[in-house]
Amino acid sequence: EAQLVDSGGGLVQPGGSLTLSCAASGFTFSSHWMSWVRQAPGKGLEWVATIKKDAGEKYYVDSVKGRFTISRDNARNSLYLQMNSLRVEDTAVYYCARQYSGYDYWGQGTLVTVSS
Amino acid sequence: VLTQSPGTLSLSPGERATLSCRASESVSSGYVAWYQQKGGQAPRRLIFGISSRATGIPDRFSGSGSGTDFTLTISRLEPEDSGVYYCQFYGSLATFGQGTKVDLK
């Protein structure tokens, strides 16, 4: 059974940086596109970024372009989200998700709080 | 942009629920999915490719539509169907609708 485990969230000041990780198991990680999705407190889902299986192409929502970087290490079965210049409005639970006919497996989420 | 309606549905068990999702431009790829989310949990995929049910999803859930208008129908609501439902366009870029909350009376 496929499993995704998110980690790395925490409290950070505005302007700070944080790196999220997603550990994958139970499937061939290198064969799948992967994505990050976030959900601000009490709000809906927002797609953040997607990376193709060979990391050759990456896509971002406009609000994080130039500040966030999605990456992957297929040898370690891991997905990452490097977040720089964090803003209060980036506060959310961040989920990694496997992309296969939609997003078929999700991590449990990790909370990022941006506050002074 | 995906716009979902209504914002909230309040129905009784056994009733039929119809959730709408309208796209600002035609989704020619057919890459439309629906998700259910219950409080504090990760979303669960219900439907992909407009109308294909995901593994383990009961047949009371069905998806339909084309072009810019898509629908999730729950034929006979069960108590466990309460939650928030999101439509999604997926591909290289993705977007979610703002969600429809389904309340069971």
Side-chain angles (χ1 to χ4, degrees), chain A residues 33 35 37 39 43-47 50 52 59-60 95 99-104 106-109, chain B residues 33 35 37 40-45 47-49 86 88-98:
Chain A
W33 294 22
S35 296
V37 176
Q39 187 168 35
K43 302 297 184 183
L45 302 172
E46 180 183 33
W47 169 75
T50 292
K52 287 192 173 181
Y59 308 90
Y60 300 92
Y95 298 97
Q99 186 159 337
Y100 184 72
S101 296
Y103 295 176
D104 62 343
W106 296 66
Q108 84 286 1
Chain B
Y35 300 83
Q37 187 179 35
Q41 297 181 18
R44 176 174 72 146
R45 186 186 62 167
I47 300 290
F48 63 92
Y86 296 93
Q88 181 206 29
F89 167 77
Y90 58 92
S92 302
L93 305 178
T95 189
F96 289 91
Q98 80 277 24

Side-chain angles (χ1 to χ4, degrees), chain B residues 1 8 18 25-27 38 46 48 55-56 59-60 66 76 90-91 94 99-101 105:
Chain B
V1 176
T8 303
T18 303
E25 52 189 63
S26 181
V27 181
K38 299 187 178 185
L46 302 173
F48 63 92
T55 302
D59 61 7
R60 64 179 183 274
S66 64
R76 298 170 307 279
Y90 58 92
T100 291
K101 183 178 181 181
K105 296 178 184 174

Side-chain angles (χ1 to χ4, degrees), chain A:
Chain A
E1 175 81 5
Q3 187 174 14
L4 299 171
V5 178
D6 302 315
S7 62
L11 175 63
V12 61
Q13 291 188 337
S17 298
L18 206 58
T19 298
L20 306 183
S21 299
C22 170
S25 61
F27 66 99
T28 305
F29 180 72
S30 59
S31 296
H32 292 273
W33 294 22
M34 297 294 295
S35 296
W36 288 99
V37 176
R38 68 184 178 183
Q39 187 168 35
K43 302 297 184 183
L45 302 172
E46 180 183 33
W47 169 75
V48 174
T50 292
I51 186 168
K52 287 192 173 181
K53 53 188 177 181
D54 61 357
E57 292 183 52
K58 306 171 185 182
Y59 308 90
Y60 300 92
V61 67
D62 285 348
S63 61
V64 309
K65 282 181 183 175
R67 300 189 300 123
F68 290 12
T69 301
I70 188 172
S71 63
R72 65 191 297 161
D73 184 339
N74 287 342
R76 295 179 181 270
N77 293 334
S78 292
L79 176 73
Y80 306 100
L81 186 67
Q82 170 72 42
M83 303 184 294
N84 297 328
S85 302
L86 281 161
R87 304 168 180 168
V88 171
E89 55 265 34
D90 294 319
T91 294
V93 173
Y94 285 73
Y95 298 97
C96 69
R98 187 178 86 165
Q99 186 159 337
Y100 184 72
S101 296
Y103 295 176
D104 62 343
Y105 285 93
W106 296 66
Q108 84 286 1
T110 186
L111 175 63
V112 173
T113 303
V114 185
S115 174
S116 54

Side-chain angles (χ1 to χ4, degrees), chain B residues 2-20:
Chain B
L2 296 178
T3 303
Q4 292 187 239
S5 61
T8 303
L9 266 179
S10 187
L11 296 167
S12 298
E15 289 192 298
R16 181 186 189 91
T18 303
L19 287 67
S20 174

Side-chain angles (χ1 to χ4, degrees), chain B residues 19-23 27 32 34 50 64-72:
Chain B
L19 287 67
S20 174
C21 177
R22 175 162 289 178
V27 181
V32 175
W34 290 89
I50 299 176
S64 62
S66 64
T68 59
D69 291 302
F70 303 92
T71 300
L72 175 70

